[in-house]
Amino acid sequence: MGNHQLRVNGKRLQNTLEEMAKIGATPNGGVQRLALSDEDKQARDLFVKWLKQLDLEVSIDELGNIFGKRDGINNDLAPVMSGSHIDSQPKGGRFDGILGVMGPLEAIRTLNENNIKTNRPITIVAWTNEEGTRFAPAMMCSGVWANALDINWIYDRTDINGLRFEDELIRIGYKGKIPAKKSPIHAYYEYHIEQGPLLEKQGITIGAPKGIVCLHWYDIYLEGEANQVGPTPMEGRHDALCAAAEMILKVNELPERMNGNLVATVGEIQNEPNSRNIIPDKVHFTVDIRSWDDNLAIKAWDLVKKDFQQIAQQRGCPIRIEETWRVEHSPFDKKLVQNILDTADNLGYSSLHMVSGAGHDASYMNQIAPTAMIFVPSIGGRSHVEVENTKWEDCEAGTNVLLHSILNSAQE
């Protein structure tokens, strides 16, 4: 059997994904596996079991990143790495992240059963806490691995209940001994659902993004003055929620004001004391700004920050702003992107050169190794929701492209 005829087992891939989807399954067909939760631990345990069944060398670093290494003919050569994440959004979907871990797992199963040896080792990885939902920011552990974020800052991040990241990592038994430090990587491929509508709209199977937009996250904290709502006249109130409401609309108007290729979103809000008959005195909300143009995103932020300060002053609500996280836009390695496009072509799949509007661990990997991504269509363009869906044959197609892209790089 020549290598070019090699195909993954689509049914086995489907079974593997369905097995994973049971862990943290939600009533409406999604999954909830927040980082370092009991569900995350259960999924990790299953993944490690599967890695060991393939005789891979399994290692877990001090951030709980899981690596499974398949020997090459020459283990001194830098490996080809592929992976994504196991954690999900609250009420997230069954494909986001996990497809990019189960894809390379299926590729390695296929190589093993066909006794195919590669010059370079192949490493499969599951990065801890890509979502950044329970602990912000996102992609934090690939960020430390790529030497872009500080491990002690990450260890001290807390969730909404005040639980520390490091303590939760220890609690689920995934704080490994190996330092979370980059090592040479020949090529990094990340396989993922598109999470947008383009591929499906154009009837195309494989997306090869030229890169990922920049991601900027900010946290805004407002102080007002709480009081009984009945006796307190409207004039002279310091209502933190009204101040936040004005600010949130400013965020929504921002892309239009910049006339540029930009999106801006407020996705999370906490209001205190959150009682119907008390004037709100504390509000925390988040701002997310993304663009292919880093400078445009920063200009937009400077503009909206001025608006925030002005509104805070007018309302008499002191404001504290935390610039939580910034990752620059990531143009991918042209040779690897071309490898993906050529591979899709060779296998008879249609393909599209595009841009990723969502962040991925590939953003950080791109800073230290040649990196590219493979996308497959999201039905209705929906993701981070329970109805998120991708056809099984598209999952299989993307995994075939991944298999051959990895093979091409691993034989170099």
Side-chain angles (χ1 to χ4, degrees), residues 77-97:
L77 294 175
V80 175
M81 183 184 271
S82 182
S84 196
H85 59 99
I86 286 176
D87 66 310
S88 85
Q89 289 280 332
K91 294 209 167 88
R94 297 176 298 148
F95 295 92
D96 178 2

Side-chain angles (χ1 to χ4, degrees), residues 225-273:
E225 187 175 28
N227 233 331
Q228 220 304 7
V229 297
T232 312
M234 295 307 287
E235 69 216 327
R237 284 189 179 193
H238 302 293
D239 184 326
L241 189 58
C242 285
E246 279 192 68
M247 292 175 190
I248 290 166
L249 288 176
K250 288 289 186 200
V251 175
N252 187 244
E253 292 155 13
L254 191 58
E256 206 178 333
R257 285 168 73 194
M258 300 306 293
N259 304 318
N261 209 342
L262 179 91
V263 291
T265 312
V266 172
E268 187 182 336
I269 183 165
Q270 276 112 29
N271 175 51
E272 285 177 38

Side-chain angles (χ1 to χ4, degrees), residues 56-204:
L56 304 184
E57 181 193 321
V58 179
S59 54
I60 294 157
D61 72 15
E62 57 192 343
L63 284 171
N65 296 320
I66 302 169
F67 303 90
K69 184 175 159 199
R70 182 181 194 262
D71 281 346
I73 295 164
N74 182 352
N75 281 325
D76 296 335
L77 294 175
V80 175
M81 183 184 271
S82 182
S84 196
H85 59 99
I86 286 176
D87 66 310
S88 85
Q89 289 280 332
K91 294 209 167 88
R94 297 176 298 148
F95 295 92
D96 178 2
I98 196 70
L99 177 62
V101 184
M102 298 302 104
L105 184 76
E106 174 54 36
I108 289 175
R109 283 174 172 170
T110 304
L111 293 177
N112 279 11
E113 67 191 6
N114 289 283
N115 298 318
I116 290 169
K117 298 210 177 348
T118 55
N119 290 333
R120 295 174 181 277
I122 297 170
T123 301
I124 175 173
V125 58
W127 301 106
T128 300
N129 187 36
E130 189 272 351
E131 292 293 359
T133 301
R134 184 180 173 200
F135 300 96
M139 295 140 46
M140 57 163 64
C141 297
S142 56
V144 174
W145 202 82
N147 202 22
L149 298 173
D150 173 63
I151 191 164
N152 292 314
W153 182 68
I154 295 298
Y155 276 162
D156 280 335
R157 301 300 285 169
T158 52
D159 70 5
I160 203 161
N161 300 313
L163 295 169
R164 276 179 77 248
F165 181 88
E166 183 187 18
D167 298 339
E168 286 296 274
L169 193 59
I170 292 166
R171 182 186 73 82
I172 68 161
Y174 273 88
K175 187 185 174 189
K177 300 272 190 285
I178 298 160
K181 281 198 173 48
K182 63 181 180 182
S183 52
I185 301 294
H186 180 65
Y188 176 77
Y189 290 101
E190 184 159 351
Y191 174 35
H192 211 278
I193 53 169
E194 180 198 346
Q195 303 184 281
L198 297 183
L199 292 173
E200 187 189 51
K201 268 192 182 141
Q202 299 183 36
I204 289 171

